[in-house]
């Protein structure tokens, strides 16, 4: 299990909308960039997972290391962003499921969404994360089955028209395609840090070697699957299924392609998509329960109370999901939050930056968001434009540099604000130390509080005085 536990957790029904939609806009270039940007971040868990596990062996989510390194305030800040991210992903998953049901059957999606919420809540409450691991295996089988059935039937029933290939210009590079080479790796990589289900699986691996095997397999499998899913947008355009008459959104390209297939194929795919959605949704539920229990209540509150709170959260999730139209826009809002915070957070992984504190992380993360607003205000010439950019109102496909600029402003602004906060904190601490007549020790390197029996106790060399100045867990 540990060697494949990361293979499927990022695949939900939302991929059937976002990847084909991108293909209809940026062509093959966008498909490959998006697939690579979504799969390669798996490797970061293999690289950073062992480091964080050694620094925080008793932890099981990223927020636990954050509490140990930066203190409770920063941990609560990261926990809030984590829960917001999980909320947005749950909205995206239910919205995608509803759109699938409505598109393929014409039925009201609300009953199906409610049934999924109730079903996943019941079995995750009874089985916890163990049952979520099991459904990941089922999810993997459904993904493979979906790909096989769709590939065979599309290949047999769909006719690609050569004249549409040339007219679509989807084989040509685009400005957005080049922009995505930066936007998507930053967005997906940083956002994966906020997904507790990834960290739970990272910490649960038996060894670093098993973890590397898992993430390597995950990367290859996800790359292949997402590339195939994205290519359905190209086939839909080249076969004439998209944009259709009247013209439909690019997010429906996959389903417009399905409408050319026999009804039994559509039925099988619908069942697989629902199963796929359930497996992804239960992982998000379990991650929210674990994050809330550990971060907010330090595991002192009964898990059943936590599960009850998560059930209450389902109501606004369903309401927002029914009103949300763009799955990709939901992801981008979450990505923008993570792009502002994760770079300043990860600076603390370096032992050389022992003087980096929680104050810098929080100020930097919030400052990154403020920087996006300031950039949008300047770019559009008004504050309304800056506010719209915070929620990526124009989407990823705006024919300008606004989204690209937002994803540059978020991490860069976060680091600059963090450095400014560092200067402010050190200045205040220096002034306070001088006023109190104390030594300024804010930049003292922490020294381990234990002495090696071999090196120190048996040595004739003079013993060094130990300074109990560990700064771990300090906000200021």
């Amino acid at each position: 299990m540990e060697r494949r536990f990361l293979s499927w957790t990022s695949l939900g029904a939302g991929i059937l909308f976002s990847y084909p939609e991108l293909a209809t806009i940026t062509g093959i270039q966008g498909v490959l960039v998006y697939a690579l940007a979504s799969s390669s971040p798996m490797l970061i868990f293999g690289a950073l997972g062992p480091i964080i596990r050694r620094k925080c062996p008793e932890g099981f989510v990223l927020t636990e290391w954050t509490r140990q390194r930066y203190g409770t305030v920063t941990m609560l800040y990261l926990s809030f962003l984590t829960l917001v991210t999980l909320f947005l992903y749950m909205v995206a998953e239910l919205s995608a499921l509803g759109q699938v049901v409505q598109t393929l059957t014409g039925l009201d999606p609300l009953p199906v969404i409610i049934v999924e919420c109730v079903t996943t809540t019941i079995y995750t409450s009874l089985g916890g994360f163990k049952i979520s691991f099991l459904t990941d295996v089922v999810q993997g089988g459904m993904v493979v089955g979906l790909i096989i059935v769709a590939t065979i039937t599309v290949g047999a029933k769909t006719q690609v028209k050569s004249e549409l290939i040339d007219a679509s210009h989807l084989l040509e590079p685009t400005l957005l395609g080049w922009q995505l080479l930066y936007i998507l790796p930053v967005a997906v990589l940083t956002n994966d840090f906020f997904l507790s289900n990834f960290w739970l699986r990272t910490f649960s691996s038996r060894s670093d070697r098993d973890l590397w095997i898992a993430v390597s397999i995950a990367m290859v499998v996800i790359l292949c699957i997402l590339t195939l899913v994205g290519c359905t947008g190209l086939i839909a355009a080249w076969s004439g299924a998209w944009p259709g008459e009247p013209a439909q959104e690019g997010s429906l390209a996959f389903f417009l392609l399905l409408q050319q297939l026999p009804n039994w194929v559509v039925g099988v795919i619908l069942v697989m998509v629902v199963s796929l959605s359930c497996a992804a949704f239960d992982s998000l539920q379990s991650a929210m329960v674990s994050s809330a229990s550990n971060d907010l209540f330090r595991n002192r509150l009964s898990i059943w109370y936590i599960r009850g709170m998560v059930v209450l959260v389902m109501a606004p999730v369903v309401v927002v999901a029914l009103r949300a139209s763009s799955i990709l826009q939901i992801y981008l809002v979450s990505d923008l939050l993570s792009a502002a915070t994760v770079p300043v957070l990860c600076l603390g992984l370096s032992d050389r930056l022992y003087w980096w504190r929680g104050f810098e992380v929080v100020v930097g993360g919030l400052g990154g968001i403020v920087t996006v607003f300031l950039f949008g205000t300047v770019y559009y010439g008004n504050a309304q434009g800056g506010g719209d950019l915070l929620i990526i109102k124009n989407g990823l496909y705006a024919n300008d540099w606004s989204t690209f600029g937002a994803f540059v402003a978020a991490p860069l602004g976060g680091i600059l604000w963090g450095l400014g906060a560092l200067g402010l904190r050190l200045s205040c601490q220096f002034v306070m130390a001088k006023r109190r007549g104390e030594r300024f020790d804010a930049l003292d390197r922490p020294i381990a509080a234990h002495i090696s029996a071999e090196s120190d106790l048996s040595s004739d060399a003079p013993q060094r005085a130990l300074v109990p100045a560990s700064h771990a867990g300090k906000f200021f």
Side-chain angles (χ1 to χ4, degrees):
M1 171 71 80
E2 287 83 356
R3 292 189 177 185
R4 61 185 180 213
F5 64 81
L6 283 171
S7 299
W8 318 108
T9 52
S10 63
L11 303 179
I15 66 174
L16 303 179
F17 291 87
S18 55
Y19 289 84
E21 181 180 13
L22 190 65
T24 62
I25 297 173
T26 60
I28 190 67
Q29 182 187 30
V31 170
L32 295 178
V33 172
Y34 203 172
L36 284 169
S38 298
S39 58
S40 56
M42 293 291 100
L43 297 178
I44 200 67
F45 293 95
L48 296 184
I51 297 175
I52 295 178
R53 289 201 301 181
R54 283 193 294 271
K55 291 178 179 292
C56 185
E58 72 281 3
F60 57 93
V61 287
L62 183 63
T63 48
E64 188 63 24
W65 168 77
T66 303
R67 183 189 66 81
Q68 175 183 291
R69 174 61 177 83
Y70 294 114
T72 302
V73 175
T74 311
M75 181 272 292
L76 291 175
Y77 168 72
L78 181 64
S79 178
F80 171 76
L81 295 181
T82 298
L83 293 174
V84 168
T85 298
L86 292 171
F87 178 89
L88 292 175
Y89 267 68
M90 292 167 79
V91 168
E93 193 57 47
L94 292 185
S95 177
L97 175 66
Q99 292 183 49
V100 168
V101 172
Q102 192 170 36
T103 302
L104 294 182
T105 67
L107 299 176
D108 182 4
L110 181 58
V112 178
I113 289 176
I114 292 177
V115 169
E116 174 169 314
C117 290
V118 172
T119 303
T120 54
T121 298
I122 291 174
Y123 71 71
T124 53
S125 298
L126 296 176
F129 231 94
K130 292 182 179 179
I131 196 69
S132 182
F133 284 165
L134 177 61
T135 59
D136 286 346
V137 179
V138 176
Q139 183 186 26
M142 290 297 177
V143 170
V144 174
L146 175 64
I147 295 298
I148 292 175
V149 171
T151 300
I152 293 176
T153 52
V154 168
K157 299 292 184 179
T158 303
Q159 293 184 348
V160 175
K161 303 173 183 178
S162 58
E163 64 272 15
L164 292 180
I165 296 178
D166 296 331
S168 67
H169 303 291
L170 294 180
L171 294 178
E172 301 173 4
T174 63
L175 173 61
L176 177 58
W178 292 116
Q179 291 176 344
L180 293 180
L181 288 173
Y182 169 79
I183 295 175
L184 291 178
V186 171
V188 177
L189 176 61
T190 57
N191 195 246
D192 282 352
F193 276 75
F194 282 178
L195 297 179
S196 301
N197 44 330
F198 282 159
W199 288 109
L200 285 164
R201 287 162 171 80
T202 298
F203 278 100
S204 68
S205 60
R206 287 193 300 257
S207 65
D208 294 348
R209 179 175 178 272
D210 284 337
L211 180 60
W212 268 111
I213 294 175
V215 297
S216 299
I217 295 176
M219 186 197 72
V220 174
V221 172
I222 292 175
L223 175 63
C224 296
I225 291 174
L226 296 183
T227 300
L228 289 173
V229 171
C231 284
T232 60
L234 302 177
I235 298 174
W238 295 339
S239 65
W242 178 85
E245 187 63 40
Q248 300 293 322
E249 297 289 339
S251 59
L252 299 178
F254 176 78
F255 303 99
L256 293 174
L257 189 62
L258 289 184
Q259 290 177 358
Q260 299 182 345
L261 304 181
N263 290 334
W264 71 267
V265 176
V266 177
V268 170
I269 291 178
L270 180 61
V271 172
M272 290 181 175
V273 168
V274 173
S275 301
L276 179 67
S277 179
C278 287
F281 194 73
D282 69 41
S283 293
L284 297 172
Q285 281 182 302
S286 298
M288 181 172 282
V289 169
S290 299
S291 295
S293 178
N294 180 73
D295 302 342
L296 303 183
F297 301 100
R298 305 301 303 154
N299 298 316
R300 295 190 181 97
L301 189 65
S302 171
I303 192 67
W304 290 104
Y305 288 110
I306 307 297
R307 294 189 186 281
M309 295 177 188
V310 173
V311 170
L312 294 178
V313 172
M314 292 299 101
V317 168
V318 172
V319 172
V320 177
L322 291 174
R323 298 176 62 88
S325 57
S326 175
I327 307 301
L328 196 55
Q329 183 181 1
I330 298 174
Y331 291 149
L332 288 172
V333 173
S334 175
D335 294 339
L336 204 57
L337 293 174
S338 61
T341 299
V342 169
V344 289
L345 177 76
C346 288
L347 291 177
L349 288 172
S350 173
D351 292 334
R352 295 180 179 180
L353 302 181
Y354 59 88
W355 34 262
W356 193 255
R357 306 286 180 82
F359 180 67
E360 288 87 82
V361 174
V362 175
V363 172
L366 296 175
I369 299 300
V370 173
T371 305
V372 173
F373 171 77
L374 295 176
F375 166 77
T377 301
V378 173
Y379 187 84
Y380 289 111
N382 57 77
Q384 179 65 41
D388 290 343
L389 189 58
L390 287 176
I391 59 173
I392 315 293
K393 187 175 181 179
N394 294 328
L396 183 62
Y397 315 128
N399 189 27
D400 56 27
W401 290 87
S402 59
T403 304
F404 181 87
F407 278 94
V408 172
L412 181 60
I415 292 175
L416 292 178
W417 279 82
L419 292 174
L422 172 65
L424 176 63
R425 175 177 64 81
L426 293 178
S427 298
C428 291
Q429 290 177 329
F430 179 80
V431 172
M432 292 175 63
K434 291 301 182 182
R435 285 185 176 180
R436 295 173 181 174
E438 300 173 352
R439 190 177 70 85
F440 176 66
D441 62 355
L443 294 178
D444 286 358
R445 180 181 292 275
I447 299 178
H450 65 274
I451 303 175
S452 170
E454 259 183 327
S455 61
D456 292 288
L457 296 182
S458 63
S459 173
D460 293 331
Q463 296 295 318
R464 293 180 300 170
L466 294 179
V467 182
S470 175
H471 299 315
K474 288 189 177 182
F475 184 70
F476 292 108

